[in-house]
Amino acid sequence: MSSIETMSVNAIRVLSADAVQKANSGHPGLPLGSAAMAYELWANHMKHNPCNPNWPNRDRFILSGGHGSTLLYSLLHLFGYGNLSTEDLSQFRQDGSLTPGHPEYGHTVGVEATTGPLGAGMGMAVGMAMAEAHMAAKFNKDEYKIVDHYTFVLGGDGCMMEGISSEAFSLAGTLGLGKLIVLYDSNKISIEGDTDIAFTEDVEKRFQAFGFQTLCVEDGNDLVEIGKAIEAAKADTTRPTMIRVKTKIGFGCPAKEGKASAHGEPLGADNVTALKENLGWPSQEAFYVPDEVYVHYNQLKEKLSAEEETWNKLFAEYEVKFPEMKALWDDMHAGTDAEALLNSEELWAVDDKTEATRNLSGMIINRLKDMIPGLFGGSADLSPSTKTYMNGEGDFSKDNYAGRNLHFGVRELAMAAIGNGLALYGGLKPFVSTFFVFSDYVKPMARLSSLMGLPLTFVLTHDSIGVGEDGPTHEPIEQLAMLRAMPNFTVYRPADATETVAAWYYAVTSKNTPTAIVLTRQGLPKQANSSKEALKGGYILSDSEKSVPDVILMASGSEVALAMDAKEELAKENVDVRVVSMPSMDVFEQQSAEYKEAVLPKACRKRVAVEALTDFGWGKYVGLDGAYVTMKSFGASAPADILFKKFGFTKENVVNTVKGIL
Amino acid sequence: MSSIETMSVNAIRVLSADAVQKANSGHPGLPLGSAAMAYELWANHMKHNPCNPNWPNRDRFILSGGHGSTLLYSLLHLFGYGNLSTEDLSQFRQDGSLTPGHPEYGHTVGVEATTGPLGAGMGMAVGMAMAEAHMAAKFNKDEYKIVDHYTFVLGGDGCMMEGISSEAFSLAGTLGLGKLIVLYDSNKISIEGDTDIAFTEDVEKRFQAFGFQTLCVEDGNDLVEIGKAIEAAKADTTRPTMIRVKTKIGFGCPAKEGKASAHGEPLGADNVTALKENLGWPSQEAFYVPDEVYVHYNQLKEKLSAEEETWNKLFAEYEVKFPEMKALWDDMHAGTDAEALLNSEELWAVDDKTEATRNLSGMIINRLKDMIPGLFGGSADLSPSTKTYMNGEGDFSKDNYAGRNLHFGVRELAMAAIGNGLALYGGLKPFVSTFFVFSDYVKPMARLSSLMGLPLTFVLTHDSIGVGEDGPTHEPIEQLAMLRAMPNFTVYRPADATETVAAWYYAVTSKNTPTAIVLTRQGLPKQANSSKEALKGGYILSDSEKSVPDVILMASGSEVALAMDAKEELAKENVDVRVVSMPSMDVFEQQSAEYKEAVLPKACRKRVAVEALTDFGWGKYVGLDGAYVTMKSFGASAPADILFKKFGFTKENVVNTVKGIL
């Protein structure tokens, strides 16, 4: 290692240790241990341009071990991304700073993904590598490989223990994602101690089983060996590669090196001093970096910028030679034309047939696939049931990366992480799909979609006891509440064809919010008065005679028809009922106070929620004087029509419930 | 294969096919494909007693591929468990029958665990094998191995794809669970088609990486080879074993064999006829089984019963020789003495110090460990933070199965499944632990705890923006709503030491409901008036002057102190406030209408919920005229005190919010 390289690696260590020490909070262990591999990668093997962090053909880098965020912030500072300064580093973990505790996408320039929950970055990296493969298959021409880059992901033992990484990497191996390169920061230390207490598996062998090339670097500070391994990884074009880099957590800090205590707490002032002494750092001043180190990084930055210039020239020629491809490229990167879709007669055309909303969704997907070239998605081995197959668009596979239908296997959690990776990548409009009850598995990654503001679409079918015979393990009860409760996440549960189009319209035009579309297994009648008003989340489907109704029935999805039936029955007894269809509480909440009051006037206190799921969360509309026709327990195994009766979803019960509060 | 054995295997197939056909719903593929291995196991290698399904030393069998439930029901019928009749089989998937769509624990005699969500059974089996190892270490004496049995689990490709199985089996390998035997029904078919579309990994190699012995049976109908493999699995006492059994999905049905369509729909009447013809079945009558087959199964049943008799003799001698061990055995199996714990001064002793509830919980765990010998648990690599370590009780490891502290590694989902397995096993009082935000990962298995009615305890710390610097990925917002929304699941979020004892008391005395105890990272003051009333879920902590208060402030956990401060301030302005502490909405909901009205009188409409989490779910108490001091978004990265101010958790904001509705 030349002296300037040693200094440049140690600069990462020193800045990281200083930032954590100043904050008096954070995780110095990972940055100290993996500084060398990160430096070697960013300096000599990764194609990136600090002057244009959004260059489409850049290599992607994800720090899956997001707790080691100072590693990333130090790199971004030293490489000159977004003018991230030492002042920013000194504000690590402070309110409003550019350097929050875990890397946040959209907040700090150069951060490709929000990470922190371990293993999530691994799944997102697989998604990015899939996106690259697809875009390359779609756009590249013989001498114009305009999409041609790697995806790197760095994580530690925790990321390897999480099941999501096995799910994602098993799929990556199946798909032969040769441009995915995993850097495994293998330090054999976990929070509770040596990894041997819980994790003695042969990780390399596991990756070989998945179909990866595996490499091992014995000394995590050996830049030459790290470099060779990265190049060997690149050279294998048919298999993803996992490089195990043996490191010492907290490297360079005599009192902490190799110990669990280096992981998640500041080294302590004395130990920071000792670290700097031990590394031969020229100053004890906090956040001090010698000029020659900055000069070195600046040279690297210039070299890196040149790579984009070469690509820009290539792309300029491509644009001339393939104008229709350039148009498609622009179209895919511009995002969805909301206005055009809103006015598309083809999209909104529906008929009067009774139909399951999952089937309607399948029909709509097959309309949208032609309107949105970036629509790209699939299911966790349930597409025949979730109806998410795009006809004639082929299957995304090792042999056909141009295919638009994804087969995730029975891996819901990784599917959602991959969906996030696809959404982060650019140019694609991804969707993922499973049974609604299995949104439980999806939830941790859906939360990251929300946090990152990614407009990923979740198609979740079999949305109530309407599942029927499969019984309680397969019947969602609390899942709608679970998703409604999440910030920046929209759930639509449409009642018929028009509302299903509205749900899809909302999902594909959303810019910063993920959407779940929750759909029935069983057929639902078309509502005569359903309309684009569904885009307001909640609306009057059938109004009362009086301006303040005797009763408001509120329902979503399959229970809207039931509410309509009950209204008809109650009318016979001169009870004046308004029916409010509430396909999306989340969207309704965002409407003006006036609109909400117009739909649900405060003067009307006799309000009944009808939904074949938990009542949890309806109280804000039902109030203290209303009532519920909802599920109070888990479901059961029986034909669906029997279950709806058994659990009280009958016209009679709704009518009686209303009468009970009159 | 002798003729009677062939017939006995085919009886399973025929009954399964008939049941699915009669229901016109279900999954015939797995039962047809794996009938032979299941027969061989149950008939010749598994120690079980149909006459006493609760015999403690029985081998455990879990059907992880729960969709193949007719396999299990057919076995239970043929072996004579609980008099499950062909009439019961003919009621497959009908309301109230003993044969629901997926196996349900506590509903059908002989079903060891509720399964359906793929991979869950794999995790539970690991938990059972851990329980066996622990109980054996605790109770066995040289010549008295009173705990000495195997745990078998059967699942297919889907179970292997799910990340939970990698998590659980990596741990099983680390722990050297030699009595865990996994039967892999390897048919290479998934719902979307051949598994090659998403799953080309070398599963055996993956298991070898985990530290398993792996075996392969090429012909899934070869009883001799299956038997040999099971015996070889038993012979390896230091490693768990995975036996890959190559099967054909839908075996025996000419038109369906080897096809995805065999998986999840009835074969069709003609195909059932063809199946029976093809198998040489003597009758086309539905649910017909020849007498000689029943005779054969009955002989097996008698042989099996004899095994328990041998054990009973052994246990009788053990009881005489080791009366103190027998007393401990009885104590552990009797369950917790609720009355004694309720009156235990030692358990309820608290002081007045400001303390984080996670620390208080740690203190309580260390009291309970001596009062409840079956208390057994740990954390997903966070015990130094979640404070769940039982001092002096040792670590459960390959070298010390007597240890009571579990190290799950960074594997939250498998941890919860293992917790279920431990709870199902008998004699143990398990708890599992992680950060509250990661309850997202835990949720799918917590749902199974609820469905099965298992009193598993979840210790979830770092329960709000009080997490501070780690930022939004680590700050729970919607998790409390998520768990509160789930049926038969209790969440406690205690406000101080007394309420923390109450939460633990509730958890360890619960018989049929899992409990989450949600705890702070930061210190909380002791409330002067907190009491065992917390066992009612919600109670008046500080009453108003008037019988109908001007305002009710409702809060839980860290916000109770804030509500108390606001009350004091409002009193200065002659606003008469009642403070209701609501450590558990779930438990409060179970109180009588009178009690609830006494705490929250309907006449008081000015109600404010104060909780540093989403307001979702509070509406039922806040009504249409109240207000919220809650989180409206994700959190942020900054010191906790700054975040509480930033997001409005100040006395001033609570006071102003109250004034806003007066």
Side-chain angles (χ1 to χ4, degrees):
Chain A
M1 207 191 290
S2 75
S3 173
I4 187 63
E5 287 187 318
T6 304
M7 295 278 281
S8 298
V9 170
N10 285 337
I12 298 170
R13 294 194 169 111
V14 164
L15 290 175
S16 297
D18 279 340
V20 172
Q21 193 58 37
K22 174 87 190 307
N24 197 25
S25 167
H27 301 75
L30 186 154
L32 266 56
S34 59
M37 74 173 100
Y39 167 80
E40 178 62 18
L41 174 65
W42 280 50
N44 300 318
H45 306 277
M46 200 167 90
K47 184 170 62 182
H48 61 124
N49 182 3
C51 302
N52 181 10
N54 297 319
W55 173 30
N57 199 42
R58 71 193 181 278
D59 287 344
R60 302 317 197 253
F61 174 82
I62 299 183
L63 180 65
S64 189
H67 55 279
S69 56
T70 53
L71 174 75
L72 185 52
Y73 298 145
S74 299
L75 288 165
L76 292 172
H77 164 66
L78 291 165
F79 278 91
Y81 271 81
N83 299 319
L84 199 77
S85 65
T86 50
E87 173 60 23
D88 293 318
L89 294 178
S90 80
Q91 291 300 307
F92 181 53
R93 298 186 153 227
Q94 303 311 301
D95 190 30
S97 83
L98 287 174
T99 50
H102 290 80
E104 295 181 16
Y105 171 75
H107 183 78
T108 312
V109 168
V111 172
E112 298 276 10
T114 297
T115 51
L118 294 179
M122 300 293 183
M124 290 191 278
V126 171
M128 289 183 180
M130 287 167 66
E132 194 268 352
H134 181 66
M135 294 295 271
K138 200 156 191 140
F139 285 100
N140 287 357
K141 301 289 180 184
D142 274 354
E143 285 169 26
Y144 298 91
K145 299 211 183 309
I146 60 164
V147 181
D148 184 15
H149 68 79
Y150 295 90
T151 299
F152 297 96
V153 58
L154 192 163
D157 293 298
C159 287
M160 294 305 184
M161 287 190 239
E162 287 284 358
I164 189 173
S165 64
S166 280
E167 291 184 357
F169 291 138
S170 176
L171 183 60
T174 299
L175 294 172
L177 299 173
K179 286 168 159 179
L180 174 68
I181 299 173
V182 181
L183 293 165
Y184 170 24
D185 171 30
S186 174
N187 61 32
K188 284 189 58 61
I189 292 296
S190 67
I191 291 174
E192 292 181 359
D194 191 290
T195 52
D196 279 353
I197 59 172
F199 187 57
T200 55
E201 69 168 70
D202 182 338
V203 180
E204 284 157 86
K205 192 166 184 176
R206 167 155 59 107
F207 275 74
Q208 288 160 15
F210 292 152
F212 275 57
Q213 173 183 213
T214 64
L215 303 168
C216 184
V217 175
E218 290 293 333
D219 175 3
N221 289 318
D222 187 335
L223 297 183
V224 174
E225 288 302 313
I226 292 166
K228 278 187 196 165
I230 295 171
E231 290 308 313
K234 288 184 174 180
D236 190 330
T237 57
T238 59
R239 293 182 299 174
T241 295
M242 189 276 276
I243 306 172
R244 178 178 179 186
V245 184
K246 295 188 181 173
T247 61
K248 278 191 181 159
I249 193 168
F251 177 84
C253 180
K256 292 279 195 164
E257 196 176 285
K259 293 185 182 157
S261 65
H263 168 78
E265 56 192 60
L267 299 173
D270 290 354
N271 283 324
V272 173
T273 301
L275 169 78
K276 290 177 184 174
E277 277 172 10
N278 188 40
L279 295 176
W281 201 242
S283 166
Q284 284 290 346
E285 189 191 336
F287 303 105
Y288 172 78
V289 175
D291 283 345
E292 67 252 46
V293 170
Y294 279 124
V295 168
H296 176 68
Y297 274 106
N298 216 38
Q299 286 165 349
L300 291 171
K301 183 179 178 180
E302 279 170 29
K303 184 192 76 179
L304 289 164
S305 299
E307 293 221 48
E308 183 177 353
E309 280 163 36
T310 309
W311 184 84
N312 285 339
K313 280 182 203 142
L314 187 78
F315 195 80
E317 288 178 35
Y318 178 88
E319 183 173 347
V320 172
K321 271 201 145 168
F322 310 103
E324 77 294 348
M325 295 308 293
K326 173 59 165 55
L328 179 62
W329 177 272
D330 288 344
D331 186 17
M332 287 176 69
H333 285 85
T336 314
D337 183 343
E339 188 70 17
L341 285 182
L342 187 63
N343 298 314
S344 163
E345 284 183 26
E346 187 194 344
L347 177 61
W348 291 87
V350 297
D351 64 27
D352 287 343
K353 278 194 299 198
T354 288
E355 191 63 88
T357 51
R358 64 172 168 148
N359 291 333
L360 294 162
S361 169
M363 180 189 76
I364 295 160
I365 288 173
N366 278 285
R367 291 174 183 173
L368 288 170
K369 76 180 200 296
D370 301 322
M371 303 174 183
I372 305 174
L375 197 69
F376 188 61
S379 155
D381 196 36
L382 285 172
S383 71
S385 294
T386 63
K387 310 293 180 190
T388 42
Y389 199 81
M390 292 180 278
N391 300 321
E393 296 299 327
D395 295 356
F396 181 86
S397 74
K398 198 173 185 166
D399 304 320
N400 178 29
Y401 290 134
R404 293 169 69 185
N405 289 291
L406 301 177
H407 297 286
F408 292 102
V410 189
R411 305 179 180 106
E412 298 82 8
L413 184 60
M415 173 177 73
I418 289 167
N420 286 337
L422 297 173
L424 286 164
Y425 186 81
L428 296 173
K429 192 75 206 166
F431 65 87
V432 299
S433 174
T434 185
F435 286 157
F436 187 28
V437 78
F438 299 141
S439 60
D440 281 0
Y441 286 93
V442 163
K443 170 68 171 49
M445 296 303 121
R447 186 174 212 257
L448 281 180
S449 321
S450 297
L451 264 169
M452 290 190 275
L454 301 179
L456 179 61
T457 303
F458 299 84
V459 181
L460 303 168
T461 68
H462 297 62
D463 73 342
S464 75
I465 50 169
V467 164
E469 291 90 342
D470 270 349
T473 55
H474 284 57
E475 288 162 356
I477 299 293
E478 73 280 17
Q479 282 68 20
L480 198 53
M482 174 178 84
L483 295 182
R484 282 172 174 163
M486 185 154 57
N488 193 38
F489 191 92
T490 295
V491 194
Y492 259 95
R493 184 172 185 250
D496 71 353
T498 299
E499 290 193 5
T500 307
V501 180
W504 266 107
Y505 173 82
Y506 181 93
V508 296
T509 59
S510 171
K511 292 203 185 310
N512 300 304
T513 303
T515 307
I517 306 178
V518 172
L519 302 161
T520 63
R521 177 188 185 212
Q522 74 277 19
L524 302 184
K526 178 79 185 75
Q527 293 300 324
N529 297 323
S530 62
S531 74
K532 288 178 185 171
E533 287 289 287
L535 294 172
K536 293 181 178 157
Y539 66 107
I540 300 169
L541 184 67
S542 174
D543 208 353
S544 50
E545 302 283 321
K546 308 173 193 164
S547 64
V548 177
D550 295 339
V551 171
I552 302 176
L553 288 175
M554 304 172 288
S556 79
S558 47
E559 286 67 65
V560 168
L562 179 59
M564 291 295 287
D565 288 350
K567 174 187 161 116
E568 196 182 323
E569 190 69 25
L570 286 159
K572 294 178 192 163
E573 308 188 34
N574 291 319
V575 181
D576 185 35
V577 174
R578 170 180 293 179
V579 174
V580 171
S581 179
M582 187 71 81
S584 176
M585 261 191 203
D586 309 287
V587 174
F588 182 69
E589 281 294 302
Q590 292 160 27
Q591 304 306 313
S592 67
E594 294 70 30
Y595 179 77
K596 285 190 270 187
E597 171 66 18
V599 175
L600 299 176
K602 259 200 172 174
C604 175
R605 299 283 169 141
K606 307 296 183 188
R607 301 162 169 212
V608 178
V610 188
E611 200 168 64
L613 294 144
T614 177
D615 58 29
F616 198 84
W618 272 104
K620 63 184 160 189
Y621 304 132
V622 170
L624 305 184
D625 309 294
Y628 303 86
V629 178
T630 50
M631 289 294 293
K632 311 295 179 202
S633 68
F634 289 112
S637 171
D641 54 342
I642 289 175
L643 293 182
F644 279 110
K645 284 190 198 104
K646 176 188 179 89
F647 290 108
F649 298 94
T650 62
K651 183 171 67 176
E652 294 66 35
N653 189 40
V654 177
V655 166
N656 288 337
T657 303
V658 167
K659 287 184 186 168
I661 59 165
L662 283 181
Chain B
M1 206 190 295
S2 74
S3 175
I4 187 62
E5 286 187 320
T6 305
M7 294 278 281
S8 298
V9 171
N10 286 337
I12 298 169
R13 294 192 169 110
V14 164
L15 290 174
S16 297
D18 279 339
V20 172
Q21 194 59 36
K22 174 88 190 305
N24 197 26
S25 168
H27 301 75
L30 186 153
L32 267 56
S34 58
M37 72 174 100
Y39 167 80
E40 178 63 18
L41 173 65
W42 281 50
N44 300 319
H45 306 276
M46 199 167 90
K47 183 169 66 181
H48 61 124
N49 182 4
C51 302
N52 181 11
N54 298 319
W55 174 30
N57 199 42
R58 71 193 180 278
D59 288 343
R60 300 322 196 248
F61 175 82
I62 299 183
L63 180 65
S64 188
H67 54 279
S69 57
T70 53
L71 174 75
L72 184 52
Y73 299 144
S74 299
L75 287 165
L76 293 173
H77 164 67
L78 291 165
F79 278 91
Y81 271 82
N83 299 321
L84 199 77
S85 65
T86 50
E87 174 60 23
D88 293 317
L89 294 179
S90 80
Q91 291 300 306
F92 181 52
R93 295 185 156 230
Q94 303 310 302
D95 190 30
S97 83
L98 287 174
T99 51
H102 290 81
E104 295 181 16
Y105 170 76
H107 183 78
T108 312
V109 167
V111 171
E112 297 275 10
T114 297
T115 51
L118 294 178
M122 300 293 183
M124 290 190 279
V126 172
M128 289 182 178
M130 287 167 67
E132 194 269 351
H134 181 65
M135 294 295 271
K138 201 159 190 138
F139 285 99
N140 287 357
K141 302 289 181 186
D142 274 353
E143 285 169 29
Y144 297 91
K145 298 207 184 312
I146 60 164
V147 182
D148 183 15
H149 68 79
Y150 295 91
T151 300
F152 297 96
V153 58
L154 192 163
D157 293 297
C159 287
M160 294 306 184
M161 286 190 242
E162 287 284 359
I164 189 173
S165 65
S166 280
E167 291 184 356
F169 291 137
S170 176
L171 183 60
T174 298
L175 294 172
L177 299 173
K179 286 168 159 179
L180 173 68
I181 299 173
V182 181
L183 294 165
Y184 171 24
D185 172 31
S186 174
N187 61 33
K188 282 187 61 60
I189 291 296
S190 67
I191 291 174
E192 292 182 0
D194 191 289
T195 53
D196 280 351
I197 59 172
F199 186 57
T200 56
E201 69 167 73
D202 181 338
V203 180
E204 283 157 84
K205 192 166 183 175
R206 167 156 58 106
F207 275 74
Q208 288 160 15
F210 292 152
F212 275 58
Q213 171 182 213
T214 65
L215 303 167
C216 183
V217 175
E218 291 294 332
D219 175 1
N221 289 318
D222 186 334
L223 298 182
V224 174
E225 288 302 314
I226 291 166
K228 278 187 196 165
I230 295 171
E231 290 308 312
K234 288 184 174 180
D236 190 330
T237 57
T238 61
R239 294 181 299 173
T241 295
M242 189 275 277
I243 306 171
R244 179 177 179 187
V245 185
K246 294 188 182 175
T247 61
K248 279 190 181 161
I249 193 169
F251 178 86
C253 179
K256 293 278 195 165
E257 196 175 286
K259 293 185 181 158
S261 65
H263 168 78
E265 57 193 62
L267 299 173
D270 289 354
N271 283 323
V272 172
T273 302
L275 169 78
K276 291 176 183 172
E277 277 172 10
N278 189 40
L279 295 176
W281 201 243
S283 166
Q284 282 291 346
E285 190 191 335
F287 303 104
Y288 171 79
V289 175
D291 284 344
E292 67 251 48
V293 171
Y294 281 123
V295 168
H296 175 67
Y297 274 105
N298 215 37
Q299 285 164 350
L300 291 171
K301 183 178 177 177
E302 279 168 29
K303 183 191 76 177
L304 288 164
S305 300
E307 293 221 46
E308 184 178 352
E309 280 162 38
T310 309
W311 183 85
N312 285 339
K313 279 182 203 141
L314 187 77
F315 195 81
E317 289 178 33
Y318 177 89
E319 183 173 346
V320 172
K321 272 203 147 171
F322 310 102
E324 77 294 350
M325 295 309 293
K326 172 60 163 55
L328 179 62
W329 176 273
D330 288 344
D331 186 17
M332 287 177 68
H333 285 85
T336 313
D337 183 343
E339 189 70 17
L341 285 182
L342 187 62
N343 297 316
S344 163
E345 284 182 28
E346 186 193 344
L347 177 61
W348 290 87
V350 295
D351 63 28
D352 285 344
K353 277 193 300 196
T354 288
E355 191 62 89
T357 51
R358 63 171 167 149
N359 291 333
L360 294 162
S361 168
M363 179 189 76
I364 295 160
I365 288 173
N366 277 285
R367 291 174 183 172
L368 287 170
K369 76 181 199 298
D370 301 322
M371 303 174 183
I372 305 174
L375 197 68
F376 189 60
S379 155
D381 196 35
L382 284 172
S383 70
S385 293
T386 62
K387 310 294 179 189
T388 42
Y389 199 82
M390 291 181 278
N391 300 321
E393 296 299 328
D395 296 355
F396 182 86
S397 74
K398 197 172 184 167
D399 303 319
N400 179 28
Y401 290 134
R404 291 169 71 184
N405 289 291
L406 302 176
H407 297 286
F408 291 102
V410 189
R411 306 181 181 105
E412 298 82 7
L413 184 60
M415 173 177 73
I418 289 168
N420 286 338
L422 297 173
L424 285 164
Y425 186 81
L428 297 173
K429 191 77 205 165
F431 65 86
V432 299
S433 174
T434 184
F435 286 157
F436 188 27
V437 78
F438 299 141
S439 59
D440 281 0
Y441 286 93
V442 162
K443 170 70 172 49
M445 296 303 120
R447 186 174 212 257
L448 281 180
S449 321
S450 297
L451 265 169
M452 290 190 276
L454 300 178
L456 179 60
T457 303
F458 298 84
V459 181
L460 304 168
T461 69
H462 296 63
D463 74 341
S464 74
I465 50 171
V467 164
E469 291 90 342
D470 270 351
T473 54
H474 284 57
E475 288 162 357
I477 299 293
E478 73 280 17
Q479 282 68 21
L480 197 54
M482 173 178 87
L483 296 182
R484 281 172 175 163
M486 185 155 57
N488 193 38
F489 190 91
T490 294
V491 194
Y492 259 94
R493 184 173 185 249
D496 71 353
T498 299
E499 289 192 6
T500 307
V501 180
W504 266 108
Y505 173 83
Y506 182 94
V508 297
T509 58
S510 171
K511 293 202 183 314
N512 300 304
T513 304
T515 306
I517 305 178
V518 171
L519 302 161
T520 63
R521 177 189 184 212
Q522 74 278 17
L524 301 185
K526 177 79 183 77
Q527 293 299 324
N529 298 323
S530 62
S531 73
K532 288 178 185 171
E533 286 289 288
L535 294 171
K536 292 180 178 159
Y539 66 107
I540 300 169
L541 184 67
S542 174
D543 208 354
S544 50
E545 302 282 322
K546 308 172 192 164
S547 66
V548 177
D550 294 339
V551 172
I552 302 176
L553 287 176
M554 305 172 288
S556 79
S558 47
E559 287 67 65
V560 168
L562 179 59
M564 291 295 287
D565 288 350
K567 174 186 162 118
E568 195 181 324
E569 190 67 25
L570 286 159
K572 295 178 191 165
E573 307 187 34
N574 291 318
V575 181
D576 185 37
V577 173
R578 168 180 293 179
V579 174
V580 171
S581 179
M582 186 72 80
S584 177
M585 262 190 202
D586 309 288
V587 174
F588 182 69
E589 281 295 303
Q590 292 160 27
Q591 304 307 313
S592 67
E594 293 70 29
Y595 179 77
K596 286 190 271 188
E597 171 65 18
V599 175
L600 299 176
K602 258 199 174 176
C604 175
R605 298 286 167 137
K606 308 297 183 187
R607 299 161 169 214
V608 178
V610 188
E611 201 169 62
L613 293 145
T614 178
D615 60 28
F616 197 84
W618 272 105
K620 63 185 159 188
Y621 303 131
V622 170
L624 304 184
D625 309 295
Y628 302 88
V629 179
T630 50
M631 288 294 293
K632 311 295 181 202
S633 67
F634 289 113
S637 170
D641 54 342
I642 289 176
L643 293 181
F644 279 111
K645 284 190 197 106
K646 178 188 177 90
F647 290 107
F649 297 94
T650 61
K651 183 171 68 175
E652 294 66 36
N653 190 40
V654 176
V655 166
N656 288 335
T657 303
V658 167
K659 288 183 184 169
I661 59 166
L662 282 181

